[in-house]
Amino acid sequence: MKTRDRRQIAGIRQLLPILTLAICCGTWLDAADWRMETVDPGGGGKFSSLKLDKSGNAHVAYYDEARHQLKYAFRDRKLNKWFTISLDSTGGFCSLALDSKQRPHISYLLGNGKLNYIHWNGTSWDKQTLEINAKEISFYTSITLGPKDYPRIGYYEYWGLGDNYKLHLRNVAWTGERWEVNTIDTTPGSGKFNSIATATSGLPQIAYANVKAENAGLRYAAWNGKSWAVTVLEGATEPHPVYSVAMALDKNDEPRIVYTDLTTNVVKYAAMEKGKWQIQPVDSVVEAAYPDRNGIALDEEGNPYLSYYDAGAGVLKVAYKLNGKWVTETVDQNSNGFTSSLQIGQGSIWMTYSDASGRSLQFAYRELGPSGTGAEAQAASQNK
C-alpha cells in the first residue's frame, strides 16, 4: 500500500465520527473523494494563489515564511508531477494571474513594505520593484491582466506620520510605457483584503474590506474608464467588520464575492443579480483566521464553489449549492487549510493551502463529474 493511500485511509478513519454526526444533522461532509498531495514539504505554503492554464497545468505562487521567499510551483498535467522554484525574497501576500500565453504574472510584497511584480517572459523571470510614493504597502495584493496582458495590481497603502496616517486602497497599472497609480477608495481603512478582476470590457472590478473601526464593512468598486464607483455592501449604516474577501466574475461580468462576517462568524456569499446585490449566509465558523483569505471559483454553468478555513475547529471546508441550498464538505482538518486558493477546471475542483505549520504547501483535488456528480450527487441523495 502506498504511503499516500495510508494517509487517506487514516484521515477517513479520523473523520468517521464527524461524518456520522453530519449525516444525522443533514449536512454532508465527504473527505473520501479528495486526493491530497504535498507540493513543497518544508518549503512554505502560506498565501497560495492558484491558477489553471488551458492545458490543465497548475500554477501556484506562495510564501516560504521560514526563508522569507516567494516561491512558484508548476504541476505538469501529463507528468502528474510538481516542479518548484524560489523567485525572490519577500514579505508574502502574493497573487498570481495567467496571461493569454498562459504565462504567470505575480504581485507580492517585499519585507520593506515595497510592492513587487514578477512575470515569466518566455525565457526568464522579469522582476520589478514598483516605485510608489508610499510609506508602506502591506497585507494583500491582488493582480489581474487587462487588454494586451497589461497588469493591474490592487494594494493596501499606509501613508503619513504619527496620528496623521492614512490607510486606503489604491492600484497601479501598466500602460505599456509606465506604471500609473490611482486611488480606488479614500475612506480610511479601505483595502486590507482586496481581490481584483478584469471584465471582458477590459475594465477592472475589485472587492475589499474596510477594517477601520468606524468604517468597517464589505465594499466593491468598478472602474468606468475615468473613475471608481464604490458600493458599500455591508457597513453602510453601522460598522460591520469582515475579513478574507475573494471575488470572481461570471460570464456576464457580474461579481461573486465570498467573505467572513466577524460580527456573527458566518461565511457569506454576495452576488450581483441584474444590477442588485444579494447576500446569503453560507456556513458558520467557530473562529475566523487572520489574515486569512477565502477561495472562490465558478463552474461552467456559473455555480459558485467557496473554500474557507475555520481556525477554531481547525478545518478546511468547501461549500456549494444544491437545490438552492448551501452544502458543505470537509476537505482537510488538524489545522490544515490557511489561505486556501480554489479553481475549477478539467472536470475537477483544485485547491492549494498551507499545512498547520505554515511550512508546507498542500494540494487537494476531486472530480466534479457531469452535472455535479461525485460528492455533489451524494449530498443530493443524502438530503432526499
Side-chain angles (χ1 to χ4, degrees), residues 50-53 296-306 318-320 341-351 366 368 376:
L50 168 69
K51 292 293 185 294
L52 298 179
D53 65 27
I296 183 169
L298 309 177
D299 66 15
E300 292 183 355
E301 298 176 351
N303 300 311
Y305 285 72
L306 316 176
V318 162
Y320 46 88
S341 185
L342 186 70
Q343 290 284 285
I344 292 179
Q346 304 294 321
S348 295
I349 311 176
W350 312 81
M351 192 187 315
R366 71 160 173 81
L368 274 176
E376 291 91 336

Side-chain angles (χ1 to χ4, degrees), residues 153-213:
I153 303 169
Y155 62 92
Y156 184 56
E157 181 182 283
Y158 175 94
W159 176 258
L161 298 172
D163 294 332
N164 297 317
Y165 69 89
K166 295 181 180 179
L167 296 168
H168 52 203
L169 177 64
R170 306 189 81 190
N171 77 129
V172 57
W174 178 248
T175 67
E177 297 179 352
R178 62 186 180 276
W179 291 96
E180 288 189 351
V181 175
N182 65 36
T183 301
I184 298 173
D185 192 337
T186 59
T187 308
S190 288
K192 194 167 190 176
F193 300 92
N194 63 81
S195 179
I196 197 167
T198 300
T200 52
S201 64
L203 299 177
Q205 304 177 34
I206 190 166
Y208 54 100
N210 186 299
V211 297
K212 197 169 179 61

Side-chain angles (χ1 to χ4, degrees), residues 76-111:
D76 189 293
R77 182 190 176 200
K78 293 182 179 179
L79 297 177
N80 197 26
K81 184 177 180 180
W82 285 98
F83 301 87
T84 64
I85 185 175
S86 297
L87 297 179
D88 196 6
S89 61
T90 178
F93 298 102
C94 49
S95 177
L96 181 146
L98 298 177
D99 64 22
S100 58
K101 296 180 180 179
Q102 308 305 289
R103 296 171 178 171
H105 297 241
I106 304 168
S107 62
Y108 60 103
L109 295 182
L110 294 180

Side-chain angles (χ1 to χ4, degrees), residues 230-246:
V230 175
T231 302
V232 181
L233 279 67
E234 297 232 47
T237 56
E238 62 181 4
H240 201 106
V242 305
Y243 282 171
S244 309
V245 179

Side-chain angles (χ1 to χ4, degrees), residues 2 65 94 104 155 206 237 265 277 279 326 347 358 372:
K2 294 181 178 179
E65 187 173 34
C94 49
Y155 62 92
I206 190 166
T237 56
N265 278 351
W277 285 99
I279 297 177
W326 288 101

Side-chain angles (χ1 to χ4, degrees), residues 249-252 256 269 273 297-305 321-322 344 368-373 376:
L249 303 182
D250 71 4
K251 293 180 179 180
N252 297 318
R256 275 74 178 107
Y269 173 72
E273 301 287 352
L298 309 177
D299 66 15
E300 292 183 355
E301 298 176 351
N303 300 311
Y305 285 72
K321 277 190 171 182
L322 279 171
I344 292 179
L368 274 176
S371 301
T373 58
E376 291 91 336

